[in-house]
Amino acid sequence: MNLTTQAAQVACFRNVAAHLEPGGCFVIEVGIPDLRRLPPGQTVVPFQVSSTKWAFDVYDVATQAMSSNYVEVVNGRGDYTSIPFRYVWPAELDLMAQLAGLQLRDRWAGWGRESFTSESRQHVSIWEKRPS
């Protein structure tokens, strides 16, 4: 794990907590990586394939690094874009929140307040600043 990235993520939670009044909330929506779709040894998961567009995610499970990659062909020319990031699990976010003085208030699978389960592909999480 990149400690600089991890420190920046914790710093983000601490910055949010510093700007909240007691009882104030921090809300985020985060996708859950499709790691269960990876057979052993595979690191790439396509999620869009057509005659002119391809999109795929590349995973490094050991470091939680990931990139979403997009290829589009227009007038015979290809354009490639890659967006790198680090994925985090809900438990990691809860720990970052706890380190910042926040506590989990709610977690849903979407904005419609669907139950968050092991099958959820995303989550909406709400952390609340504890009273001083």
Side-chain angles (χ1 to χ4, degrees):
M1 177 182 299
N2 182 331
L3 293 178
T4 303
T5 301
Q6 183 183 25
Q9 292 167 335
V10 172
C12 175
F13 272 80
R14 286 189 171 138
N15 186 43
V16 167
H19 288 84
L20 290 174
E21 298 290 329
C25 293
F26 178 37
V27 180
I28 63 170
E29 176 185 17
V30 180
I32 304 289
D34 284 335
L35 295 180
R36 293 194 306 179
R37 292 178 54 192
L38 286 175
Q42 182 176 325
T43 60
V44 178
V45 175
F47 60 88
Q48 180 181 14
V49 178
S50 74
S51 61
T52 59
K53 293 182 182 179
W54 302 274
F56 54 94
D57 289 330
V58 178
Y59 294 93
D60 182 337
V61 178
T63 63
Q64 292 178 241
M66 181 177 170
S67 63
S68 290
N69 302 273
Y70 304 87
V71 177
E72 183 173 11
V73 177
V74 178
N75 297 325
R77 296 188 60 97
D79 181 46
Y80 172 73
T81 304
S82 182
I83 304 168
F85 55 95
R86 178 184 176 272
Y87 60 85
V88 295
W89 299 107
E92 286 180 275
L93 294 169
D94 291 345
L95 179 57
M96 290 180 217
Q98 180 184 4
L99 292 171
L102 305 173
Q103 62 188 13
L104 183 65
R105 187 167 107 185
D106 286 300
R107 176 168 290 132
W108 305 303
W111 293 103
R113 297 185 179 193
E114 304 88 353
S115 295
F116 179 75
T117 70
S118 59
E119 299 300 317
S120 298
R121 309 247 349 230
Q122 68 177 18
H123 64 93
V124 174
S125 295
I126 303 171
W127 294 276
E128 184 174 15
K129 185 171 184 176
R130 296 184 282 239
S132 300

